[in-house]
Amino acid sequence: MQHRASLYIIIFTIAMIAFPFRSFAASAEIDLQDANKNIIEALQSAQSGNVEGAKKQYETFSSTWMSIESGIKEQSQDAYREIEDGMGQIQFALAQQPVKKENLENSLKNLKQTNEKFIAGKYPRTTAKTEDEGTKQGNVADLIVLLNQSLSKLDHNDVNGAKADIEQFRTSWLDIESVVLTQSSKIYTNAERDMVTSYAMLSSKNPDVKGAKKTIEGMRDYLSPLASKTSYNMLDATTILLREGLEGLLVVVALLGFLKKSGHADKSRWIWIGVGSGLGASIILGVIVNMLFSAGAFGSNNFLIAGWTGVFAAM
């Protein structure tokens, strides 16, 4: 009975990791439609002169966006990019002191229209990636190069060139974001915010060069520690296997020594059966995980995977 319960838990754990509430989740259009109510309310507040109210409503939308953005990106990368552009314009408008009512209203109107366009299904759907594209991962070091290039161009008053580098950063980010998320959710959140904010600063009618430089420098500083290790090779995997294997071997040797010392050496075959079963189960689970999870899927569900793995391990 206990073994059957454990089997059910294993199956349930795999199902939860592979399909985290997707079957019960609302569609991306409905998710955004619900979130867009905050933008509508923020726009109404801005039109009535209540800047603080507009800011609070936008912050609510921004928090909700973090939980629904993956579904929108999977459906349409064009919509995802334009929504984040709109968010960057609002953040830029709110960062100005004093806040210009007209700029805030226009940026909220633009985001509202972009959201409604996606809700109405007017954006082209993202085409399915090929196997090679699906396994492609970017490199944080390449993003650091783009940030340094943009800073150098700003030093030479080349605003358009710097803006082009940030746009390239945002395009490349789609390939690297899962790598960043698996290492630091805080850095991921900050980069998502700062790349659209810096682009908005450089795209405005009167570019905020000083603010953009400060934002880009901040991105470079907190992304740089991740640039040293963003991929893993066979040596890394072998080292992990060797370390864990040696720890397991010590446990097996200790158990065998205990059985021999207690006069039950004939029971050692059960230990070897357990070792073989464990190896077999590890191989099967490894194949399942490899088939079900891409790097992007792992990044998006990093904490869910860690949580359910912990529950399973505790048993």
Side-chain angles (χ1 to χ4, degrees), residues 4-306:
R4 182 178 296 179
S6 298
L7 178 60
Y8 289 155
I9 291 172
I10 293 172
I11 295 172
F12 179 70
T13 301
I14 294 173
M16 290 296 294
I17 296 173
F19 312 103
F21 308 109
R22 287 178 182 261
S23 299
F24 307 100
S27 68
E29 290 86 355
I30 293 175
D31 285 339
L32 188 57
Q33 186 174 29
D34 291 339
N36 194 46
K37 294 175 183 177
N38 296 119
I39 297 301
I40 295 173
E41 291 179 12
L43 178 57
Q44 292 171 348
S45 296
Q47 289 171 336
S48 65
N50 184 4
V51 174
E52 281 302 313
K55 183 178 180 181
K56 288 181 180 179
Q57 289 296 336
Y58 171 72
E59 288 174 349
T60 302
F61 173 86
S62 183
S63 298
T64 304
W65 173 251
M66 294 298 295
S67 63
I68 68 174
E69 62 174 330
S70 59
I72 294 169
K73 180 168 59 178
E74 288 174 7
Q75 189 158 316
S76 175
Q77 288 191 2
D78 289 342
Y80 172 78
R81 189 175 289 109
E82 289 192 22
I83 290 171
E84 293 220 320
D85 279 344
M87 293 174 66
Q89 293 293 340
I90 295 172
Q91 290 163 6
F92 178 55
L94 289 170
Q96 295 178 320
Q97 294 299 328
V99 174
K100 295 181 180 179
K101 181 174 177 287
E102 183 181 357
N103 291 346
L104 180 57
E105 284 184 31
N106 289 337
S107 59
L108 286 167
K109 284 179 183 177
N110 290 336
L111 180 57
K112 174 179 172 288
Q113 292 170 358
T114 301
N115 290 344
E116 290 172 347
K117 182 179 176 182
F118 175 82
I119 293 166
K122 295 181 180 179
Y123 276 100
R125 298 182 73 88
T126 300
T127 55
K129 292 184 177 182
T130 64
E131 185 175 347
D132 289 341
E133 290 174 331
T135 57
K136 177 185 176 183
Q137 285 190 354
N139 192 315
V140 174
D142 294 337
L143 299 186
I144 301 299
V145 170
L146 286 171
L147 295 177
N148 283 327
Q149 285 179 186
S150 67
L151 288 171
S152 177
K153 289 175 181 177
L154 287 177
D155 287 337
H156 292 84
N157 298 316
D158 183 5
V159 175
N160 288 330
K163 184 172 72 173
D165 286 333
I166 297 301
E167 178 62 23
Q168 180 59 45
F169 177 99
R170 296 173 61 208
T171 300
S172 301
W173 177 256
L174 296 176
D175 294 325
I176 198 67
E177 59 180 348
S178 61
V179 177
V180 175
L181 180 58
T182 56
Q183 297 186 65
S184 173
S185 60
K186 181 179 180 181
I187 290 178
Y188 170 82
T189 302
N190 290 343
E192 287 263 298
R193 177 199 65 215
D194 290 344
M195 66 181 174
V196 294
T197 302
S198 59
Y199 186 79
M201 289 175 171
L202 296 173
S203 302
S204 64
K205 187 175 180 180
N206 297 308
D208 182 1
V209 175
K210 184 177 179 180
K213 284 183 67 174
K214 183 177 179 180
T215 303
I216 294 169
E217 286 171 351
M219 292 171 66
R220 180 190 61 188
D221 292 343
Y222 60 66
L223 283 171
S224 292
L226 305 185
S228 60
K229 191 66 175 178
T230 58
S231 61
Y232 299 90
N233 53 35
M234 184 62 72
L235 179 61
D236 297 306
T238 302
T239 302
I240 294 172
L241 288 172
L242 180 62
R243 185 192 68 191
E244 300 299 328
L246 286 174
E247 291 180 0
L249 182 61
L250 289 173
V251 174
V252 171
V253 169
L255 289 172
L256 290 173
F258 174 77
L259 287 177
K260 185 175 181 180
K261 190 172 182 179
S262 62
H264 295 286
D266 57 314
K267 302 295 192 302
S268 61
R269 65 189 181 91
W270 292 107
I271 293 177
W272 292 115
I273 290 174
V275 171
S277 300
L279 288 173
S282 297
I283 292 172
I284 293 172
L285 286 174
V287 171
I288 292 173
V289 169
N290 188 56
M291 291 173 61
L292 290 178
F293 305 134
S294 64
F298 178 80
S300 301
N301 301 307
N302 185 31
F303 304 109
L304 186 61
I305 292 172

